[in-house]
Amino acid sequence: MSETAAVSTATLRARAEIDLGALRANVRALRARAGGAALMAVVKSDGYGHGAVPCARAAVEAGATWLGTATPEEALALRAAGLDTRLLCWLWVPGGPWRQAIEADVDVAVSALWALREVTGAARAAGRTARVQLKADTGLGRNGCQPEDWPELVAEALRAEEAGLLRVTGLWSHFACADEPGHPSIAAQLTRFREMVAYAEEQGVRPEVRHIANSPATLTLPEAHFDLVRTGIALYGISPSPEIGTPADLGLRPVMTLSASLALVKHVPGGHGVSYGHHYVTPGPTTLGLVPVGYADGIPRHASGTGPVLIQGKWRTAAGRVAMDQFVVDLGGDEPEAGARAVLFGPGDEGEPTAEDWAQACGTIAYEIVTRIGTRVPRVHLDAAPRVHAGGDAEVNAGTGG
Ligand SMILES: *Cc1c(COP(=O)(O)O)cnc(C)c1O
């Protein structure tokens, strides 16, 4: 079997279609919201499950001038794919690939003295000047330098800057509760951020960019935009929280559509237990449909009995437990053929559930729904106004519009 055939048969079972046209439109909408601030496309964790490289390319085409990742390995993979946009990565542990990051022109985040020492050591070894962004903990209580420790970190960074080992390119922080507009911590963090930036600038730091806004702050808090906004979830067309609005309210369009082909449709009598544990028992004679994706594909086991699927225009619900590779829906006597398309989530305009619907069905957030879709599900990247049919050759159609 040719490689192409193997790929196209994998998409028969299940596929995550990624609408790059929607992603570009989301980038444009977010840039308009961000006013004069530059936009960083956050493509950590494989672009929130959407494919980091194609999403990064599309975001840059639509005007993102920075890319962001959590790990240095994610950043280096973008460089290896030929993306040469400014790129910040922020989640380091001792012994990390500082030198490779410096040589690949990656901006690195530093929250503590140990990291500053590792990066200056790597810069000396490489004979290059590292680009360092100092991260302040303004109240999140996660990564970042505490206000008490900031003077020492700033002083040491300035000494390394004078020695030519690094340039402080950014001063930045991250919100705890930006997805809860009006939360008192938001104003407190902004005040603290301004103070910590002012202190560093008084000492002589000349950052290119100061930044604190994630998607919710980009959407709701203009005073938090500073020089750069770091948008993740909103790029992918998902609202950071229902409290902030629906994607449509925010001018965004969901990018991922997850669908599968029914593997079996069969008649069963009433009183028939369904899936492990028999947590669902058919209330009468009915038809069952087998959806061939399970928790190994990232369908939460918490969706047992609750996860929604659109099949032939009707919402069905995961009947009984979600298993590793499959779950069952009660089709109530309908008889779609094996191979019929089951849409787990998408933008919602054809009546299908959304990632937010899945989040609510599972007691989680939509971020977790899209990022956990497994590697066994092929990502099919579509360019411009896609229309893809179950079992169709979407990759071949990509870019042709229609
Ligand atoms: C993930 C992340 C972001 C993006 O957050 P969204 O809410 O998805 O926009 C921004 N900054 C940092 C430090 C992050 O870890």
Side-chain angles (χ1 to χ4, degrees):
M1 189 189 284
S2 76
E3 202 177 309
T4 315
V7 167
S8 77
T9 57
T11 62
L12 293 177
R13 178 184 72 101
R15 62 216 78 93
E17 290 149 14
I18 308 301
D19 180 353
L20 294 174
L23 187 136
R24 285 194 197 87
N26 294 336
V27 168
R28 289 190 288 267
L30 291 164
R31 285 186 67 209
R33 291 260 185 175
L39 186 127
M40 175 187 288
V42 178
V43 294
K44 63 190 181 186
S45 194
D46 199 25
Y48 288 45
H50 295 65
V53 168
C55 291
R57 280 203 189 106
V60 169
E61 284 158 14
T65 51
W66 283 81
L67 298 170
T69 67
T71 71
E73 291 77 17
E74 291 171 330
L76 292 170
L78 294 173
R79 286 289 189 251
L83 283 145
D84 58 6
T85 311
R86 287 298 286 277
L87 168 53
L88 172 67
C89 74
W90 49 75
L91 193 58
W92 289 85
V93 293
W98 300 101
R99 182 167 174 174
Q100 290 95 312
I102 293 166
E103 288 175 344
D105 278 327
V106 173
D107 286 58
V108 300
V110 163
S111 296
L113 288 174
W114 71 260
L116 200 57
R117 291 185 183 132
E118 291 207 356
V119 77
T120 51
R124 201 174 279 118
R128 299 264 303 254
T129 304
R131 288 204 279 239
V132 169
Q133 301 214 0
L134 301 178
K135 183 171 193 189
D137 186 346
T138 55
L140 171 60
R142 202 174 68 177
N143 213 344
C145 179
Q146 287 299 114
E148 301 68 51
D149 302 326
W150 189 241
E152 194 183 8
L153 188 68
V154 167
E156 187 134 339
L158 283 169
R159 275 196 290 278
E161 194 167 68
E162 276 153 32
L165 294 170
L166 62 81
R167 239 194 75 56
V168 180
T169 56
L171 298 171
W172 70 294
S173 189
H174 195 42
F175 280 116
C177 307
D179 56 341
E180 299 173 48
H183 192 286
S185 69
I186 297 171
Q189 281 198 260
L190 268 176
T191 301
R192 178 62 55 75
F193 184 58
R194 288 197 185 94
E195 288 165 1
M196 291 174 84
V197 166
Y199 173 82
E201 291 181 342
E202 279 157 23
Q203 299 302 304
V205 174
R206 294 287 171 268
E208 290 172 51
V209 285
R210 296 155 297 176
H211 50 106
I212 188 170
N214 52 3
S215 293
T218 301
L219 292 164
T220 64
L221 207 62
E223 63 268 42
H225 291 168
F226 294 92
D227 305 308
L228 176 67
V229 297
R230 305 187 308 270
T231 52
I233 198 72
L235 289 180
Y236 308 101
I238 293 173
S239 171
S241 112
E243 207 184 315
I244 290 177
T246 65
D249 294 338
L250 301 169
L252 303 172
R253 181 171 172 77
V255 170
M256 183 188 293
T257 297
L258 180 67
S259 64
S261 305
L262 291 184
L264 185 70
V265 176
K266 64 182 180 183
H267 287 269
V268 294
H272 202 302
V274 174
S275 192
Y276 295 131
H278 279 178
H279 292 281
Y280 182 78
V281 177
T282 55
T286 190
T287 46
L288 298 178
L290 184 62
V291 184
V293 286
Y295 59 77
D297 299 297
I299 310 307
R301 194 162 172 276
H302 274 90
S304 300
T306 61
V309 183
L310 184 76
I311 300 169
Q312 292 191 332
K314 292 182 191 158
W315 274 41
R316 306 295 187 183
T317 303
R321 283 213 180 125
V322 173
M324 187 184 296
D325 313 304
Q326 43 195 309
F327 67 89
V328 176
V329 292
D330 187 334
L331 295 167
D334 285 1
E335 299 178 338
E337 305 220 337
R341 191 171 197 229
V343 183
L344 285 82
F345 60 82
D349 24 271
E350 286 171 30
E352 73 277 16
T354 62
E356 183 60 41
D357 291 320
W358 273 81
Q360 288 181 15
C362 305
T364 184
I365 54 176
Y367 291 72
E368 189 179 359
I369 299 296
V370 289
T371 53
R372 64 185 295 160
I373 300 306
T375 52
R376 194 166 63 172
V377 177
R379 271 54 170 185
V380 180
H381 291 91
L382 305 165
D383 238 321
R387 283 190 47 156
V388 176
H389 309 280
D393 49 353
E395 297 96 328
V396 177
N397 288 338
T400 60

